[in-house]
Amino acid sequence: MSQTAAAKRRPTWLGYLTSTVGIALLILIAPFYFSAGLVAPWWAMVLLLGVWLVLLVLSTHFYRRRPFLVLAFPFMAAAFWVLLIYVGGGLLDWTP
């Protein structure tokens, strides 16, 4: 690979900034995932924490490769949390 091709693949400061903001937002969502055990059963907690961990690993994997995609991970995490807690709680009658 030539140096020009390697320079084109390197993200700019904006790419690093969006990746960092995406990971920071994903970490800020973590307390919602960890506190979901107050209303969700154990298997839903395992599913929630597994999904959050996969999103965190993927965001670190895509930090330099696709920095703007990392910004979408916190929104996917929030949507999954809302879907599982509210819909699961309403349909499966989860109560604390």
Side-chain angles (χ1 to χ4, degrees), residues 4 7 11 16 43 46-47 60-62 64 66 74 79 92:
T4 58
Y16 286 122
W43 59 267
V46 170
L47 179 66
T60 57
H61 177 73
F62 287 131
R64 288 188 62 177
R66 294 184 168 240
L92 301 175

Side-chain angles (χ1 to χ4, degrees), residues 5 7-10 13 19 22 26-28 32 34-35 44 50 53 55-56 61 64 71-72 74 76 78-79 86:
K8 286 182 182 178
R9 294 189 67 205
R10 179 180 294 151
W13 65 270
S19 291
L26 193 60
I27 291 172
L28 285 175
F32 292 101
F34 296 139
S35 66
L53 189 61
L55 287 173
L56 184 66
H61 177 73
R64 288 188 62 177
L71 195 56
M76 290 189 290
Y86 285 122

Side-chain angles (χ1 to χ4, degrees), residues 24-81:
L25 288 174
L26 193 60
I27 291 172
L28 285 175
I29 290 175
F32 292 101
Y33 273 75
F34 296 139
S35 66
L38 296 172
V39 294
W42 68 269
W43 59 267
M45 280 300 299
V46 170
L47 179 66
L48 276 170
L49 294 179
V51 166
W52 184 82
L53 189 61
V54 166
L55 287 173
L56 184 66
V57 168
L58 282 175
S59 66
T60 57
H61 177 73
F62 287 131
Y63 185 82
R64 288 188 62 177
R65 290 177 179 88
R66 294 184 168 240
F68 296 104
L69 181 64
V70 175
L71 195 56
F73 288 154
F75 297 103
M76 290 189 290
F80 183 74
W81 184 84

